[in-house]
Amino acid sequence: MSTRTPFVGGNWKMNTRLESGRSLAREVVAGCDGVADVEVAIFPPVAYILPIAGVLGKTDSRILLGAQDCSSEPDGAFTGEVSAGQLADCGVSVVIIGHSERRHVIGEDDDLINRKVRAGLGEGLTCMLCVGETLSQREAGETDAINEAQLRRGLEGVGPGEVERLIIAYEPVWAIGTGRTATPEDAQDAHAKIRGVLADLFSGDAAAAIRILYGGSVKPSNAAELFAQPDIDGGLIGGASLNAQDFLAIIDAARGIKKGGGGA
Ligand code: PEP
């Protein structure tokens, strides 16, 4: 039976400046000393990936360096874009793809997101595919259908050998940055359905091994009850990851939640 090591990621979005980012990274590194039972990643703005890599590289920290997005293309005339291979060269090992702000603010569609997933996996990165419904879709009872469509289209063409480098983040759009959080029961229900789709796409064993994170206003006060759910394997944290004490408290809530088998 597979076991899933919990994962907590800090998505800094377009926040921090060079020095505040470095000092936040130092605080996270110091606070994670001795934490071996949770995989922790930080996702700084792309401009600061190399300086933050420098902070992580100066310690024996096991904190992973992440990127918030990558290009769907390997190289060429794509002004302003950054390829997965370039990120890998800078020490990035995990990339967020299809975050709701990229879907709904920047306007990315499932086809582009799928090409980014395949580009990231092709360069050896772990890809964290974000899925989730808007408020109107939730109110129309479409949560599971939206998640399923985003998974099926986002993961098209992903080979069995690449599945171990997939992470899914379920992030209901209405909960991101709003202070509103899905109830643990609603989040668990969505996660279990997502794991079912993954089982259908790949295999029951593969689905049981894939981490499915919850994201959407996770805070120290609600992390433990969310992470206690059988199919929630940690979180993708936005606002609370900008405060080291809050982020570390959320990481602490993920300790000891390693789960096996899953709900597939
Ligand atoms: C996110 O950015 O993925 C996120 C979940 O943000 P927040 O925690 O601020 O809702």
Side-chain angles (χ1 to χ4, degrees), residues 11 13 99 101 171 175-177 215-218 236-239:
N11 176 12
K13 310 192 185 189
H99 189 277
E101 286 144 21
E171 300 209 304
I176 297 177
S217 299
V218 178
L236 180 58
I237 319 300

